[in-house]
């Protein structure tokens, strides 16, 4: 048909950026598998993490579906495991799985927490949310991965990968506040559910839902903070 098709190859700089992004995805995938194993195969994971998920009423099938996990209550176990497996220390810091202290030591960000992997639309792990189970006034109940090249909170929705098909089919999206709200609803068969966990609702998140439906039902908590967030989100 005499249609000229121009093929373009990424220049070395673009290729390097693509390779680095891929490296961050691969590391997050390794982290997810490690946390999942620690939840179901270690005494600490079973007695603390699995007990918590069972109390929430989550089934084994749900735990596997959402790739839930547990991070050991240690300052360096994950970082050491990852570096031994050949993962780059720089990537550990860039994904936010680890950080360096004042002395330059590599330390684990998530310690003694149940882990909720955050997936993008294609199902790749882009970050994590961790919930601490001890009552500790000085420690935040929830800790999220910091922003990275592959994770921007304002453009991400928890549960979008598992919910997108149901959102399209039902032509409606239920918007809830947190990870466990999403998981509980999915387990009850209401799969068109996502959460804007860790951030106020953003225009980018609404656009993301807009790819699948124009209809959104806000189901935030009924306390004053939840009502305020609902009204702000609806605007």
């Amino acid at each position: 048909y005499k249609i000229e098709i121009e093929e373009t190859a990424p220049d070395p700089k673009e290729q390097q950026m693509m390779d680095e992004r891929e490296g961050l995805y691969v590391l997050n995938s390794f982290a997810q598998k490690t946390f999942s194993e620690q939840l179901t195969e270690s005494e600490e994971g079973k007695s603390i993490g699995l007990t918590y998920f069972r109390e929430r009423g989550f089934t084994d099938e749900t735990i596997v579906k959402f790739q839930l996990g547990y991070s050991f209550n240690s300052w360096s176990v994950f970082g050491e495991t990852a570096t031994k497996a050949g993962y780059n220390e720089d990537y550990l810091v860039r994904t936010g799985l680890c950080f360096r202290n004042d002395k330059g030591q590599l330390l684990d960000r998530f310690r003694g927490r149940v882990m909720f992997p955050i997936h993008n639309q294609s199902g790749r792990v882009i970050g994590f949310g961790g919930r601490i189970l001890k009552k500790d006034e000085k420690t935040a109940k929830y800790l999220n991965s910091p922003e990275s090249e592959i994770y921007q909170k304002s453009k991400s929705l928890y549960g979008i990968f598992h919910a997108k098909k149901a959102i399209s089919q039902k032509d409606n999206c239920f918007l809830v506040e947190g990870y466990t709200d999403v998981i509980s609803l999915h387990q009850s068969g209401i799969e068109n559910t996502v959460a804007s966990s860790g951030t106020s609702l953003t225009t980018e998140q609404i656009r993301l839902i807009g790819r699948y439906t124009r209809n959104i039902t806000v189901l935030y908590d009924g306390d004053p903070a939840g009502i305020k967030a609902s009204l702000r989100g609806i605007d």
Side-chain angles (χ1 to χ4, degrees):
Y1 288 91
K2 298 186 177 63
I3 298 168
E4 271 191 44
I5 297 170
E6 276 186 45
E7 286 193 46
T8 56
D11 65 38
K13 196 176 177 187
E14 285 173 334
Q15 187 61 51
Q16 186 189 348
M17 281 171 72
M18 282 159 65
D19 292 345
E20 286 182 5
R21 281 173 68 86
E22 186 58 29
L24 300 182
Y25 283 124
V26 170
L27 174 56
N28 274 346
S29 176
F30 169 80
Q32 176 270 306
K33 290 187 181 87
T34 303
F35 295 142
S36 289
E37 277 171 21
Q38 289 172 181
L39 176 72
T40 56
E41 293 174 24
S42 73
E43 285 311 311
E44 186 185 330
K46 284 191 272 196
S47 66
I48 301 172
L50 213 48
T51 301
Y52 169 75
F53 288 137
R54 292 271 180 273
E55 282 169 3
R56 296 304 301 242
F58 296 165
T59 62
D60 289 347
E61 193 182 28
T62 295
I63 288 167
V64 169
K65 176 181 171 181
F66 285 92
Q67 300 181 330
L68 304 179
Y70 177 77
S71 58
F72 286 142
N73 193 15
S74 147
W75 282 97
S76 58
V77 162
F78 176 72
E80 285 166 9
T81 305
T83 46
K84 251 184 222 152
Y87 290 94
N88 183 318
E89 287 191 8
D90 177 45
Y91 284 14
L92 282 163
V93 174
R94 279 163 66 179
T95 52
L97 287 159
C98 295
F99 66 96
R100 291 196 185 279
N101 68 3
D102 300 339
K103 295 175 184 165
Q105 294 168 299
L106 195 68
L107 301 175
D108 295 348
R109 181 175 301 276
F110 299 101
R111 300 179 303 281
R113 291 174 182 266
V114 285
M115 300 297 288
F116 299 86
I118 300 161
H119 301 84
N120 65 9
Q121 283 160 281
S122 56
R124 302 195 86 176
V125 179
I126 53 175
F128 294 88
R131 185 192 196 280
I132 203 155
L133 302 176
K134 303 195 298 264
K135 297 264 187 296
D136 187 346
E137 300 302 316
K138 294 178 196 156
T139 312
K141 184 166 143 186
Y142 277 97
L143 180 66
N144 278 344
S145 294
E147 302 256 315
S148 70
E149 288 106 305
I150 58 171
Y151 176 51
Q152 287 92 40
K153 289 189 183 78
S154 64
K155 295 179 181 174
S156 309
L157 285 164
Y158 182 72
I160 190 70
F161 172 66
H162 297 98
K164 59 185 183 181
K165 189 177 168 193
I167 293 170
S168 290
Q169 285 171 344
K170 301 271 198 279
D171 195 21
N172 189 17
C173 176
F174 290 120
L175 188 63
V176 295
E177 282 193 48
Y179 306 122
T180 52
D181 300 330
V182 170
I183 296 168
S184 299
L185 281 162
H186 273 255
Q187 187 169 283
S188 303
I190 303 163
E191 294 189 347
N192 51 326
T193 307
V194 298
S196 61
S197 2
T199 66
S200 299
L201 193 61
T202 65
T203 312
E204 288 106 324
Q205 289 168 332
I206 296 292
R207 283 207 187 102
L208 188 51
I209 296 170
R211 294 181 186 184
Y212 307 105
T213 182
R214 308 297 292 168
N215 304 308
I216 298 175
T217 305
V218 178
L219 295 176
Y220 286 172
D221 291 348
D223 59 11
I227 292 165
K228 196 174 166 190
S230 298
L231 295 171
R232 194 170 58 233
I234 290 163
D235 285 344

